[in-house]
């Protein structure tokens, strides 16, 4: 309880910072009607509509402040910790459960996704429920009534995971293969014991048919929403896997130092505790999922920290079991203290850098410049920048958001055709802005309009590495370099 209270205080107190691009996209989609969210209109978006529907319902109750928008994910993160505690306690006992909950509570990765208004932390909750059900399903000594309840719970949780994130379409496959891999001799000699899980997976496919259809159509029509992610190479796979194992998000050197050691602890524990069916199942599910997603990520751009975040829940349970099972008490607490200290440092460093996009600043500053132009790259940026202005001021935006366009913008194809404000080719910006006061707004990593101008020999008065909001500038600053 103390861990949960401390975790809740940390998340709620620190969640009022400005929403970022992806979070504003969540707000935009939650502005849509349920009829639109659950229709073919969602072909433009690679994420299914369940989280957006949850956020829409919540905003109708709690409003649309930055803090309020993050409440559902914060609550989901607390639920994930409770589920993690319950599942770990069921398998490895109370000491391991406290360790698992404590590590999640101070994890920079958990904190980041708890305060990110996206559906990833909900995916973790769904997976933990499904894994708990799988444990019951795969136990040969479980009562028939318990197995039936577990099958129903697994079906609901796996379906929910699919409607929360498209890549979770693969989860029933991973789960089925992991169950077989956890006890191949048993299922080779009694294959009929797999029938209930097969039926449950068929039910998941039927219930998820809408999401599967949308994903298939997106593949057929080649939507560009994920093209900017890029294919994963071996170095990225290793780095992302280490972060997932270490539960980190913001720094590189900590997971590089500790993750191999933690991996060794988990592998050694999985081998020494292999007589336990639950350990075999958890190890198989984590290993198969990580390996399969890595292989797919080298062909389709899906292997990024947010899509493999749910695997960290399974690894946390195994790590907690490994630490709690150390025979030398002094060594156990020494290792645990080092891990806790490293995670705390990682989380502290994350807190210093978490607000790398302040979308509230343009509204605060530009509201003093009625009629000025806010130039951004692409329709998605323009759509969200205008939406933020309207939401913050509760009036029509007093400045004009201009979408600077290029022939083929690799970012955020979901926004194409949605912005009804001015859309101007980058090369025409100096002419369009003539005589007006202009500002330029960019994201931290992408959508860098100053760079786009400079690549085309324009933006002579625009700095290369200025702040995220550049201005006020005269229109002449957009001219030749």
């Amino acid at each position: 309880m103390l861990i949960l209270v401390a975790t809740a205080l940390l998340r709620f107190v620190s969640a009022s910072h400005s929403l970022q691009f992806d979070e504003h996209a969540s707000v935009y989609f939650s502005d849509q009607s349920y009829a639109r969210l659950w229709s073919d209109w969602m072909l433009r978006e690679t994420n299914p509509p369940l989280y957006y529907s949850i956020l829409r319902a919540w905003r109708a109750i709690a409003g649309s402040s930055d803090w309020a928008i993050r409440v559902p994910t914060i609550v989901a993160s607390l639920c994930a910790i409770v589920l993690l505690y319950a599942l770990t306690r069921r398998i490895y006992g109370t000491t391991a459960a406290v360790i698992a909950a404590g590590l999640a509570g101070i994890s920079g990765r958990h904190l980041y996704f708890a305060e990110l208004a996206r559906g990833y932390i909900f995916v973790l909750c769904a997976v933990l429920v499904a894994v708990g059900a799988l444990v019951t399903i795969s136990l040969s000594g479980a009562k028939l009534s318990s197995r039936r309840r577990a099958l129903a719970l697994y079906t609901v949780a796996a379906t929910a995971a699919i409607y929360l994130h498209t890549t979770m379409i693969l989860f029933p496959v991973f789960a089925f293969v992991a169950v077989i891999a956890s006890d191949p001799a048993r299922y080779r000699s009694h294959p009929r014991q797999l029938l209930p899980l097969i039926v449950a997976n068929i039910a998941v496919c039927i219930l998820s048919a809408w999401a599967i259809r949308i994903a298939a159509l997106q593949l057929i029509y080649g939507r560009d929403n994920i093209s900017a992610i890029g294919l994963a190479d071996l170095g990225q796979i290793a780095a992302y896997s280490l972060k997932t194992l270490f539960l980190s998000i913001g720094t590189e050197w900590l997971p590089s130092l500790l993750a191999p050691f933690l991996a060794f602890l988990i592998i050694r524990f999985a081998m020494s505790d292999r007589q336990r069916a639950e350990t075999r199942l958890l190890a198989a599910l984590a290993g198969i999922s990580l390996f399969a997603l890595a292989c797919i990520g080298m062909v389709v751009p899906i292997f990024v920290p947010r899509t493999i975040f749910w695997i960290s829940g399974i690894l946390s349970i195994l790590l907690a079991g490994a630490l709690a099972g150390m025979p030398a008490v002094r060594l156990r607490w020494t290792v645990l203290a080092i891990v806790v200290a490293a995670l705390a440092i990682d989380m502290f460093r994350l807190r210093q850098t978490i607000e790398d996009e302040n979308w509230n600043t343009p509204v605060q500053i530009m509201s003093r410049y009625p009629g000025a132009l806010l130039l951004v790259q692409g329709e998605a940026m323009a759509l969200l920048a205008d939406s933020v202005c309207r939401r913050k001021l509760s009036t029509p935006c007093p400045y004009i958001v201009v979408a600077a366009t290029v022939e083929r913008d690799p970012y955020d194809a979901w926004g194409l055709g949605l912005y009804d404000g001015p859309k101007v080719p980058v090369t025409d910006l100096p002419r369009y802005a003539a005589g007006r006061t202009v500002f330029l707004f960019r994201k931290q990593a992408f959508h860098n309009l100053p760079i786009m101008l400079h690549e085309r020999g324009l933006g002579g008065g625009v700095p290369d590495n200025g702040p995220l909001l550049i201005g006020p500038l005269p229109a002449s600053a957009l001219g030749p370099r």
Side-chain angles (χ1 to χ4, degrees):
M1 181 59 70
L2 180 61
I3 293 173
L4 194 64
V5 171
T7 300
L9 286 174
L10 172 66
R11 281 149 173 72
F12 280 114
V13 168
S14 64
S16 60
H17 55 85
S18 170
L19 299 179
Q20 301 184 16
F21 178 90
D22 286 352
E23 296 176 289
H24 285 300
S26 293
V27 173
Y28 174 78
F29 281 105
S30 71
D31 281 334
Q32 311 307 309
S33 66
Y34 293 117
R36 175 173 274 192
L37 287 174
W38 295 89
S39 73
D40 283 3
W41 185 84
M42 285 297 287
L43 279 169
R44 67 177 56 253
E45 165 63 341
T46 52
N47 291 299
L50 180 54
Y51 170 69
Y52 302 137
S53 299
I54 294 171
L55 184 58
R56 177 179 173 80
W58 170 252
R59 288 176 62 199
I61 299 171
S64 298
S65 69
D66 292 349
W67 185 87
I69 285 169
R70 290 193 171 104
V71 168
T73 53
I74 293 174
V75 172
S77 75
L78 300 177
C79 291
I81 292 175
V82 172
L83 290 168
L84 194 63
Y85 175 89
L87 186 52
T88 307
R89 182 182 180 185
R90 173 184 171 187
I91 300 173
Y92 299 120
T94 302
T95 299
V98 172
I99 292 173
L103 293 181
I106 61 170
S107 161
R109 176 167 290 254
H110 273 261
L111 177 64
Y112 178 81
F113 286 112
E115 295 186 359
L116 184 71
R118 302 290 285 175
Y120 307 114
I121 199 79
F122 283 88
V123 174
L124 176 61
C125 289
V127 166
L128 290 173
V129 172
V131 170
L134 278 176
V135 168
T136 300
I137 293 168
S138 61
L139 289 177
S140 57
K143 295 180 179 179
L144 181 60
S145 58
S146 299
R147 287 168 60 85
R148 286 175 176 171
R149 285 194 297 269
L151 283 166
L153 199 58
Y154 166 81
T155 302
V156 172
T159 302
I162 291 171
Y163 279 106
L164 287 164
H165 200 271
T166 302
T167 59
M168 298 309 291
I169 289 172
L170 299 169
F171 178 76
V173 178
F174 298 157
F176 183 72
V177 175
V179 167
I180 296 175
S182 67
D183 200 347
R186 171 189 170 188
Y187 295 113
R188 189 164 50 244
S189 57
H190 299 91
R192 289 177 61 85
Q193 293 185 7
L194 287 170
L195 186 58
L197 184 56
I198 293 173
V199 172
N201 277 339
I202 292 173
V204 171
C205 290
I206 293 172
L207 293 171
S208 307
W210 184 87
I212 295 171
R213 173 181 170 273
I214 293 292
L217 289 174
Q218 288 171 337
L219 286 175
I220 292 171
Y221 293 123
R223 300 298 295 178
D224 292 332
N225 286 341
I226 60 175
S227 61
I229 296 175
L231 301 178
D233 56 34
L234 293 178
Q236 288 174 319
I237 290 170
Y240 295 157
S241 299
L242 288 175
K243 285 187 174 184
T244 298
L245 174 62
F246 183 63
L247 301 173
S248 69
I249 191 72
T251 59
E252 299 295 338
W253 62 273
L254 282 173
S256 298
L257 287 174
L258 277 179
F261 174 66
L262 300 183
F264 167 76
L265 289 181
I266 290 175
I267 293 171
R268 190 185 70 168
F269 173 71
M271 293 179 64
S272 64
D273 197 52
R274 61 183 178 272
Q275 76 279 0
R276 197 193 310 249
E278 297 93 327
T279 299
R280 296 196 303 271
L281 176 61
L282 293 173
L285 183 56
I288 289 168
S289 302
L290 199 56
F291 177 76
L293 288 172
C295 291
I296 296 170
M298 290 188 284
V299 181
V300 181
I302 64 168
F303 194 86
V304 288
R306 58 183 179 267
T307 60
I308 60 174
F309 169 59
W310 60 270
I311 302 176
S312 67
I314 304 171
L315 293 172
S316 296
I317 297 172
L318 289 169
L319 178 59
L323 292 172
M326 282 185 169
V329 176
R330 181 174 297 179
L331 177 62
R332 176 205 305 168
W333 293 113
T334 300
V335 172
L336 185 59
I338 293 172
V339 173
V340 168
L343 281 174
I345 293 171
D346 183 69
M347 182 179 65
F348 177 74
R349 290 170 64 90
L350 171 67
R351 292 304 316 156
Q352 294 177 313
T353 61
I354 197 168
E355 189 175 5
D356 57 358
E357 296 172 21
N358 191 333
W359 286 66
N360 297 331
T361 297
V363 178
Q364 296 165 357
I365 294 177
M366 292 198 62
S367 59
R368 303 196 294 267
Y369 294 85
L373 303 181
L374 177 63
L375 309 180
V376 298
Q377 178 189 337
E379 289 187 61
M381 280 283 288
L383 186 73
L384 299 185
D386 185 67
S387 175
V388 172
C389 178
R390 294 170 184 269
R391 181 162 59 88
K392 293 295 182 182
L393 299 180
S394 301
T395 62
C397 197
Y399 50 88
I400 302 169
V401 181
V402 179
T405 61
V406 293
E407 285 187 12
R408 184 175 174 81
D409 193 333
Y411 304 116
D412 307 303
W414 63 264
L416 295 178
L418 293 179
Y419 185 55
D420 57 7
K423 297 182 279 286
V424 181
V426 171
T427 51
D428 290 346
L429 285 177
R431 178 183 57 81
Y432 179 84
R436 309 287 286 274
T437 298
V438 299
F439 290 78
L440 290 82
F441 182 58
R442 60 186 176 86
K443 281 176 61 179
Q444 185 72 15
F446 305 112
H447 301 85
N448 198 322
L449 184 55
I451 297 300
M452 290 184 65
L453 285 166
H454 296 162
E455 289 174 348
R456 291 159 176 79
L458 298 173
V462 178
D464 277 315
N465 297 308
L468 298 187
L469 179 68
I470 301 172
L473 299 174
S476 59
L478 303 176
R481 298 191 72 181

